[in-house]
């Protein structure tokens, strides 16, 4: 194998041994693949550089084999057969000393060995001996050839394995392209034509087309510039086949490394870096770390970065307050004097340069670092005044008396700025507190306990202001952090108070009116005010008591009754009001509790008051008890007894005492007729002066079923429907009947009003004039004296017996006696017209001869005579002024038109 460098291009020549195939396949023997190896190595090697490799055939023995070399000080062999330089060597004389490689079975101690002849690039004799005449290629291009085979008669064949160093190609080459790298050929091309090819990423796999090979000459070329930051190396495999596609050589692995060039600037991961450091920090305090990356190879100077600070703003108190580690990018403080109140923030310009910071060849980039100085509590709060003043009315709580103001140079709204106030003197009873206003940072002196002017008139408080966090080390609170607060108490009119409150007294019930119970007075806390107190009653539910306005003496105005509903658990509460004469007046209330002792003032009565019992079935007993409003011993036990009157009570019934509070009533006879019986029972309590009472037990005797339940109809009705329900149903029925009657009356009245309105229809609106047909017209007033009865032919009607059924006209007047219609006076009074119409309407309603289809047609017939005389005898006037027609206005709206026509002026 040969390795040459020239014109900035690395050329590789690899010589592979030619395998000689003998007839038949010999059996596998453990050992090295070659008895001797020829290795072309560089003249100068460095430590750890791979030089060549040998291959040991184990034949499946399975035992561990250890590889050793004869010169371990210069060479190191690994278990995979690769030999490395153990130190930096110059191998100009290595060809005279072959290297022996041994393989030893650690179990059987069997050994194998092979020799490796090392040849440097400057050995032309070896090159002429092993390499055949190359084909015509470009001048200066190195080629890969395979050594000539031994004589065919020789039974033992020689094989050579070579370590192929990688090909180094600089990135970003300017060409021209395609650019030749190396030529690969086999010594078989002397006897036959071969075809060469390469496979792998960059050739026939993505990214394809970067490397190509001349299939005839074996020239390997690169087709475009390479970018190490995209792909740092390529692994290709070279193949040689004959024209039939048969493989004539084993594939050769070729590694192409892309050599890095300084073509990328450093890039900061952030253009703006933010850091913090407390004010007053000592030199050497860590602040933050800035980071920059370079896409170039970090193992070369192209990717080795160095940092520096270009500028600092502001340059106070010095221009070099910070420094940066040129390798790591860590920023620390180098000077004292950081004060947030003077300089709250610093801005640094940071530069990163590759080529290890070489300003001439390296590429640079910059970023900005902003360092904020955080606040520490190095300034104590100071009061704006030495003394603060305030005043507060007595008995007031949760009121602000004074506002305490402070100043603090620390950062606002931070624990180092927020003030905390504490009262250190002048308030032994804890009547004041000083919370902090979160918005203004002021101290709010607040009253938390009521103050009595009669006890304390002024307060002088000592208040100290601190922060939520303690002061920094070495900082002490100044005198201005303490202030005095002077508070004056204002006297106000206080309410009188009763003592004790409530006040309880015990007495027996039944106390008579105008009896004195007690004196209930109040005290005035205002000792420095001369005031009078007057009393009044505020609450007396039973209205039993009264109080003297000046003395407070309480007397009764009614009998006290413990059994009153206003008494709860023998306790009666009354509230009284005490009001002073101050301006404005103040008042207080007191409660008087009267515990009423029981006396025997209530007679017992039977319970229950109603019950039922069966006629015959046994047992037919009733259990009863007594109720007494008094308490023990004025209540039970009770004595029960049947009254002597009426006499049948004791004859039919009997009563038996069961216990002190219960007795049993039962029938004395075997049968008692069903019904309701009232039994008088005399009950006596156990008071010191016993009280008796005759109570009536209402017993219903009824027929019962086998279960002892009443079965009579009355019981069923009473159980199914109560008295109240029956009364409600009856009321509903009565109301419904009244509504129906009112509706009928209203309908009749409506019909009469409608008929009366039809009588007063305006003649111009009367449709009857539109349907009358006249065969001839008269010649004047003289010709209008005709018999109106002919309109309906009342005198010429044929008898009904003569006309067939269905032929008689329905509008003909029937033959009946003529009714007596009222006669209208010649000059009626305006008020008589309504009576006249109503009388005519009643006559028409009772007229059997009136047509059923229109009862008003009867007015079309005026009868045989007229009291008004002939209309022809009326004298007309052109103006109508001779007669007064104003009375027509009184007849209603339908006659006002006539009044306007005849009673108006000549116009």
């Amino acid at each position: 194998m040969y390795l040459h460098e020239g014109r900035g291009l690395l050329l590789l020549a690899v010589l592979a041994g030619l395998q000689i195939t003998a007839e038949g396949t010999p059996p596998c023997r453990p050992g090295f693949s070659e008895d001797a190896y020829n290795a072309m190595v560089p003249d100068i090697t460095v430590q750890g550089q791979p030089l060549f490799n040998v291959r040991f055939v184990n034949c499946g023995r399975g035992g561990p084999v250890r590889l050793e070399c004869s010169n371990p000080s210069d060479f190191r062999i690994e278990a995979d057969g690769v030999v490395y330089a153990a130190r930096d060597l110059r191998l100009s004389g290595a060809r005279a000393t072959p290297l022996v490689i041994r393989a030893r079975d650690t179990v059987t101690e069997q050994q194998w060995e092979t020799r490796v002849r090392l040849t440097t690039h400057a050995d032309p004799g070896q090159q002429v001996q092993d390499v055949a005449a190359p084909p015509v290629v470009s001048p200066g291009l190195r080629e890969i050839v395979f050594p000539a085979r031994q004589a065919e008669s020789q039974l033992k064949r020689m094989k050579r394995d070579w370590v192929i160093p990688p090909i180094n190609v600089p990135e970003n080459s300017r060409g021209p392209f395609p650019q030749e790298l190396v030529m690969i050929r086999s010594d078989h091309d002397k006897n036959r034509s071969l075809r060469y090819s390469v496979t792998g990423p960059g050739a026939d796999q993505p990214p394809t087309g970067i490397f190509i090979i001349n299939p005839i000459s074996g020239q390997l070329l690169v087709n475009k510039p390479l970018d190490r930051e995209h792909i740092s190396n390529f692994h290709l495999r070279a193949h040689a086949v004959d024209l039939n596609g048969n493989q004539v050589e084993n594939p050769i692995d070729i590694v192409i490394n892309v050599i890095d060039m300084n073509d990328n600037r450093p890039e900061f991961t952030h253009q703006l870096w933010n850091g913090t450091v407390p004010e007053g920090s000592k030199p050497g305090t860590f602040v933050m770390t800035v980071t920059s990356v370079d896409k170039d190879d970090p193992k070369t100077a192209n990717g080795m970065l160095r940092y520096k600070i270009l500028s600092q703003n502001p340059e106070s108190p010095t221009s070099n307050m910070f420094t940066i580690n040129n390798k790591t990018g860590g920023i620390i403080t180098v000077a004292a004097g950081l004060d947030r109140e003077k300089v709250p923030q610093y801005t640094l310009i940071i530069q990163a340069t590759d080529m290890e910071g070489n300003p001439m060849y390296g590429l640079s980039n910059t970023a900005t670092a902003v360092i904020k100085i955080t606040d520490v509590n190095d300034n104590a709060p100071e009061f704006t005044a030495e003394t603060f003043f305030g005043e507060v009315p007595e008995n007031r709580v949760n009121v602000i008396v004074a506002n305490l103001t402070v100043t603090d140079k620390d950062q606002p709204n931070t624990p180092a700025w927020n003030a905390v106030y504490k009262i250190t003197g002048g308030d032994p009873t804890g009547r004041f507190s000083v919370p902090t206003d979160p918005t203004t940072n002021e101290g709010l002196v607040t009253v938390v306990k009521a103050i009595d002017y009669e006890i304390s008139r002024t307060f002088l408080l000592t208040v100290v202001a601190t922060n939520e966090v303690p002061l920094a080390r070495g900082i002490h609170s100044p005198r201005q952090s303490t202030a005095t607060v002077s508070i004056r108490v204002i006297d106000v009119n206080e309410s009188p108070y009763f003592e004790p409150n409530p006040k309880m007294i015990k007495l027996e019930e039944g106390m008579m009116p105008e009896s004195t119970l007690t004196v209930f007075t109040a005290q005035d806390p205002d000792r420095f005010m001369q005031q009078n107190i007057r009393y009044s009653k505020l609450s007396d539910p039973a209205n039993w008591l009264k109080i003297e306005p000046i003395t407070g003496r309480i007397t009764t105005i009614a009998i006290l009754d413990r059994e009153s509903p206003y008494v709860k658990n023998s306790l009666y509460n009354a509230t009284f009001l005490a009001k002073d004469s101050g301006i404005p007046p103040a008042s207080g209330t007191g409660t008087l509790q009267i515990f009423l002792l029981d006396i025997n003032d209530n007679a017992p009565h039977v319970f229950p008051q109603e019950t039922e019992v069966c006629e015959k079935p046994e047992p037919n007993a009733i259990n009863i008890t007594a109720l007494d409003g008094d308490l023990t011993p004025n209540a039970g036990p009770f004595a029960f007894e049947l009254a002597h009157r009426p006499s049948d009570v004791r004859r039919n019934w009997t009563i038996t005492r069961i216990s002190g509070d219960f007795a049993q009533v039962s029938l004395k006879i075997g049968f008692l007729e069903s019904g309701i019986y009232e039994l008088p029972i005399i009950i006596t309590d156990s008071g010191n002066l016993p009280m008796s009472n005759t109570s009536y037990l209402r017993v219903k005797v009824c027929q019962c079923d086998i279960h002892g339940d009443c079965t009579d109809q009355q019981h069923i009705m009473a159980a199914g429907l109560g008295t109240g329900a029956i009364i409600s149903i009856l009321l509903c029925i009565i109301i419904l009947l009244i509504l129906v009657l009112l509706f009928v009356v209203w309908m009749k009245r409506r019909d009469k009003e409608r008929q009366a309105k039809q009588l007063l229809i305006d003649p111009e609106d009367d449709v009857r004039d539109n349907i009358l047909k006249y065969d001839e017209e008269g010649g004047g007033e003289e010709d209008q004296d005709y018999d109106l009865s002919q309109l309906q032919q009342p005198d010429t009607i044929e008898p009904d017996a003569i006309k067939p059924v269905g032929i008689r006209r329905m509008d003909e007047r029937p033959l009946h006696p003529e009714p007596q219609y009222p006669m209208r006076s010649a000059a009626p009074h305006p008020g008589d017209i309504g009576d006249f119409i109503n009388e005519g309407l009643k006559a028409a309603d009772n007229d059997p001869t009136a047509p059923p289809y229109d009862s008003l047609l009867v007015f079309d017939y005026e009868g045989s005579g007229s009291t008004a005389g002939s209309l022809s005898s009326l004298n007309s006037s052109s103006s109508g002024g001779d007669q007064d027609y104003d009375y027509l206005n009184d007849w209603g709206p339908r006659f006002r038109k006539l009044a306007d026509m005849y009673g108006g002026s000549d116009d």
Side-chain angles (χ1 to χ4, degrees), residues 199-201 233-237 254-257:
T199 59
N233 54 69
F234 297 88
H235 293 266
L236 304 179
R237 174 165 288 193
I254 301 176
V255 177
I256 301 175
N257 290 332

Side-chain angles (χ1 to χ4, degrees), residues 481-663:
S481 296
T482 303
T484 301
V485 183
S486 178
I487 301 174
R488 184 175 66 91
V489 182
I490 302 174
D491 188 17
V492 296
N493 185 21
E494 299 178 74
S495 301
Y497 64 93
F498 288 87
E499 186 67 28
N501 189 16
K503 181 178 182 180
M504 177 179 287
I505 60 175
K506 293 184 178 180
L507 49 89
E508 287 186 351
E509 63 173 331
M511 183 172 290
M512 302 305 294
E514 301 300 331
S515 300
T516 300
L517 300 184
T518 184
V519 176
F520 198 22
T521 58
Q523 306 295 326
D524 192 349
D526 297 315
R527 296 182 310 211
F528 302 100
M529 297 182 183
Q530 300 299 327
Q531 300 180 135
N532 298 322
I533 299 177
R534 296 186 65 86
Y535 303 94
S536 62
K537 185 171 62 174
L538 185 63
S539 174
D540 183 13
N543 197 24
W544 287 345
L545 310 174
K546 70 177 180 178
I547 186 170
E548 290 292 333
I550 297 176
T551 62
R553 185 169 64 92
I554 299 175
T555 58
T556 61
I557 59 176
I559 299 177
L560 306 184
D561 185 8
R562 192 198 64 81
E563 289 75 31
S564 172
Y566 301 106
V567 178
K568 303 298 181 183
N569 298 324
S570 300
L571 201 64
Y572 180 75
N573 293 325
T575 305
F576 298 93
L577 180 70
K579 181 183 295 186
D580 61 20
S581 58
I583 300 176
S587 61
T589 61
T591 300
L592 177 65
Q593 293 182 337
I594 304 174
F595 188 85
L596 295 175
L597 302 177
D598 185 40
I599 63 175
N600 193 13
D601 58 346
N602 291 278
H605 59 274
V606 69
F607 182 84
Q609 295 180 353
E610 294 184 1
T611 184
E612 60 183 21
V613 67
C614 298
E615 291 178 339
K616 292 182 179 181
E618 294 292 341
N620 54 1
I622 304 168
N623 293 332
I624 62 172
T625 185
L627 298 179
D628 195 326
D630 297 323
L631 300 177
T632 304
N634 295 322
F638 302 101
F640 300 90
E641 181 184 3
L642 289 175
H644 295 276
R645 300 282 184 182
S647 59
D648 58 346
V649 172
R650 286 177 172 262
R651 185 175 58 253
N652 297 335
W653 302 90
T654 182
I655 188 168
T656 304
R657 183 176 179 179
I658 300 176
S659 62
D661 295 333
F662 293 92

Side-chain angles (χ1 to χ4, degrees), residues 97-250:
T97 306
L99 184 65
V100 179
I101 303 298
R102 294 184 180 87
R104 181 171 57 89
D105 192 332
T106 58
V107 178
T108 61
E109 297 297 330
Q110 185 178 359
Q111 295 186 1
W112 298 268
E113 68 177 31
T114 184
R115 296 178 181 274
V116 180
R117 181 185 177 189
L118 303 178
T119 304
T120 61
H121 294 171
D123 191 351
Q126 180 65 27
Q127 180 179 359
V128 173
Q129 178 182 356
D130 290 346
V131 179
V136 179
V137 294
S138 300
L141 182 65
R142 301 303 181 215
E143 62 181 16
I144 298 174
V145 296
F146 294 90
R149 292 178 297 177
Q150 297 287 340
E152 295 181 2
S153 61
Q154 186 176 356
L155 297 178
K156 186 177 181 180
R157 66 175 185 267
M158 300 293 294
K159 300 171 64 177
R160 293 187 177 100
D161 288 349
W162 302 91
V163 175
I164 304 175
I167 303 173
N168 296 326
V169 181
E171 66 173 335
N172 303 324
S173 175
R174 297 184 178 180
F177 295 99
Q179 197 174 52
E180 297 175 343
L181 298 181
V182 70
M183 186 178 73
I184 302 174
R185 58 180 295 271
S186 173
D187 59 355
H188 288 280
D189 61 356
K190 299 178 180 179
N191 303 324
R192 47 184 167 172
S193 297
L194 301 180
R195 295 295 182 265
Y196 301 96
S197 63
V198 290
T199 59
D204 62 342
Q205 300 176 17
T208 59
I210 297 179
F211 301 98
I212 58 175
I213 190 171
N214 189 320
I216 299 178
S217 65
Q219 292 176 331
L220 181 64
L221 307 99
V222 59
N223 215 21
K224 60 179 70 173
L226 303 180
D227 186 1
R228 191 203 68 84
E229 287 72 37
H230 185 219
I231 301 178
S232 60
N233 54 69
F234 297 88
H235 293 266
L236 304 179
R237 174 165 288 193
H239 305 269
V241 296
D242 57 16
L243 296 180
N244 295 327
N246 298 320
Q247 177 179 323
V248 298
E249 298 288 355
N250 291 329

